[in-house]
Amino acid sequence: MNAAEQVTNPESATKIAAIVNLFKRQFPDVKANLKPWTNDPDTLEWVDPYSIDMGFNLPAGHTLVQLRMHDNRLIGIEASCFGPFGSQRWRFSTIGDWTFLGNTPPPAGFQSKLKQTFHEIFQLYNAASE
């Protein structure tokens, strides 16, 4: 579900803003999109109501980041990067072995920065419950 629609209280707004700031720290020129999904019936049929979805215009391409939640706890992050004509360049999941898959994986330096950002997002969501 669009991150903008998941803002239901000050705590959720603060966490989403913190995620954007984590990305900006690693990728200073990043632009965030807190509404990556359109609200048409076909799209809404496939949207996970328990995820927090946001898009980022990263150096590697347009990247959809989906935070998978369960009982207000972050259980995984998935990312998919798309080129200018909608073709998928790579995908990544924290569920499993944290590897990049696809025809055009990003350079190693980018991979390290993205993984670091995802570690920090896990700390943001799950530190209080550990």
Side-chain angles (χ1 to χ4, degrees):
M1 179 179 277
N2 286 327
E5 295 164 6
Q6 293 283 30
V7 175
T8 57
N9 57 50
E11 181 184 6
S12 61
T14 300
K15 286 183 178 179
I16 289 170
I19 291 169
V20 172
N21 286 328
L22 289 172
F23 272 92
K24 284 187 176 286
R25 190 173 66 213
Q26 292 289 352
F27 310 100
D29 295 331
V30 73
K31 290 189 170 111
N33 177 358
L34 300 182
K35 287 184 155 187
W37 302 114
T38 58
N39 284 327
D40 63 85
D42 292 331
T43 302
L44 293 174
E45 179 179 330
W46 296 101
V47 171
D48 179 356
Y50 303 107
S51 70
I52 300 172
D53 304 345
M54 53 194 75
F56 294 95
N57 185 10
L58 295 169
H62 298 286
T63 304
L64 174 66
V65 175
Q66 297 177 291
L67 281 63
R68 303 292 181 185
M69 307 298 292
H70 179 71
D71 291 334
N72 293 321
R73 184 165 172 80
L74 179 61
I75 59 172
I77 302 172
E78 297 175 349
S80 298
C81 180
F82 299 91
F85 300 106
S87 61
Q88 188 177 58
R89 292 181 173 176
W90 53 263
R91 67 183 186 274
F92 175 84
S93 178
T94 63
I95 299 169
D97 58 0
W98 289 58
T99 57
F100 287 81
L101 302 172
N103 293 333
T104 316
F110 177 91
Q111 290 183 23
S112 296
K113 287 181 178 184
L114 194 62
K115 287 179 182 181
Q116 178 61 39
T117 303
F118 289 165
H119 277 290
E120 292 172 359
I121 293 171
F122 270 101
Q123 290 173 346
L124 174 70
Y125 273 89
N126 296 342
S129 56
E130 291 178 347

